[in-house]
Amino acid sequence: MEQFTGKVWVLGDDIDTDIIIPTEYLAMKTIEDMKKYGFAPLRPELAAKIGQGDIIVAGKNFGCGSSREQAPEVIKALGIRCVIAKSFARIFFRNAINNGLLLIEQPKLCDDITEGDQITVTVNEAVDYKGKKYPIASLPENLVEILNAGGLVKAMRKQNGL
């Protein structure tokens, strides 16, 4: 099983796609241009503070709102390794997997965690925080393959020998 450790950024409930990447920045040419505005309506300083391999832990309904693909792309471009939340908006969940961003549902971690702390994720098994294990559901093998390839298009290219 894949395992990684990262610094945690804590967000609340109902983090919608307009918070993840506001509408006014969607006209920018690249995700790299957009990423510095990630989470700006909620915490304008956050995008600049996120480091490679960091982890977002959030409440319920993460990714609600419009179905813009730029939202998971911006999160990934910021260097976030995965998002752990009580629940995800369904269209966001699919867009994130299709773009190679790991999402993990865990109902209790958000209530216990402190921003800036470290957690260790064992994919398809558990999240370890201060010695306590928070169980997580296993993702189906086909979704793991998409994530490991870096997204749906890359997975299909690999599957088709391209």
Side-chain angles (χ1 to χ4, degrees), residues 3-160:
Q3 188 176 71
F4 55 89
T5 299
K7 177 182 173 182
V8 171
W9 297 98
V10 178
L11 303 176
D13 293 336
D14 303 311
I15 302 298
D16 68 32
T17 54
D18 288 322
I19 288 172
I20 297 168
I21 183 63
T23 306
E24 60 264 31
Y25 303 113
L26 293 176
M28 295 181 137
K29 290 185 190 249
T30 68
I31 294 298
E32 282 299 308
D33 294 335
M34 291 179 211
K35 77 178 187 181
K36 64 183 159 199
Y37 302 103
F39 303 100
L42 183 66
R43 293 171 64 180
E45 78 293 346
L46 184 59
K49 290 183 175 182
I50 291 173
Q52 194 66 36
D54 286 356
I55 298 167
I56 290 174
V57 176
K60 64 179 174 51
N61 204 23
F62 189 92
C64 57
S66 64
S67 66
R68 62 185 66 152
E69 284 192 30
Q70 295 93 335
E73 289 179 308
V74 163
I75 293 171
K76 198 171 166 189
L78 285 169
I80 293 294
R81 180 66 182 81
C82 75
V83 178
I84 302 169
K86 289 182 179 183
S87 64
F88 294 94
R90 292 295 102 199
I91 191 73
F92 178 82
F93 187 88
R94 196 64 228 187
N95 281 338
I97 298 294
N98 287 346
N99 283 288
L101 176 64
L102 175 61
L103 302 183
I104 297 171
E105 286 190 348
Q106 209 309 315
K108 303 211 181 305
L109 180 65
C110 184
D111 297 331
D112 296 345
I113 200 141
T114 301
E115 185 164 283
D117 285 351
Q118 299 268 329
I119 59 173
T120 299
V121 176
T122 304
V123 177
N124 286 347
E125 204 171 287
V127 176
D128 188 324
Y129 176 57
K130 293 188 173 180
K132 182 176 177 185
K133 298 249 187 238
Y134 294 80
I136 55 177
S138 291
L139 290 170
E141 187 56 39
N142 64 323
L143 296 187
V144 173
E145 288 174 18
I146 291 169
L147 288 165
N148 288 341
L152 182 61
V153 171
K154 291 177 182 175
M156 293 298 98
R157 284 186 177 142
K158 181 178 177 183
Q159 184 178 337
N160 291 310

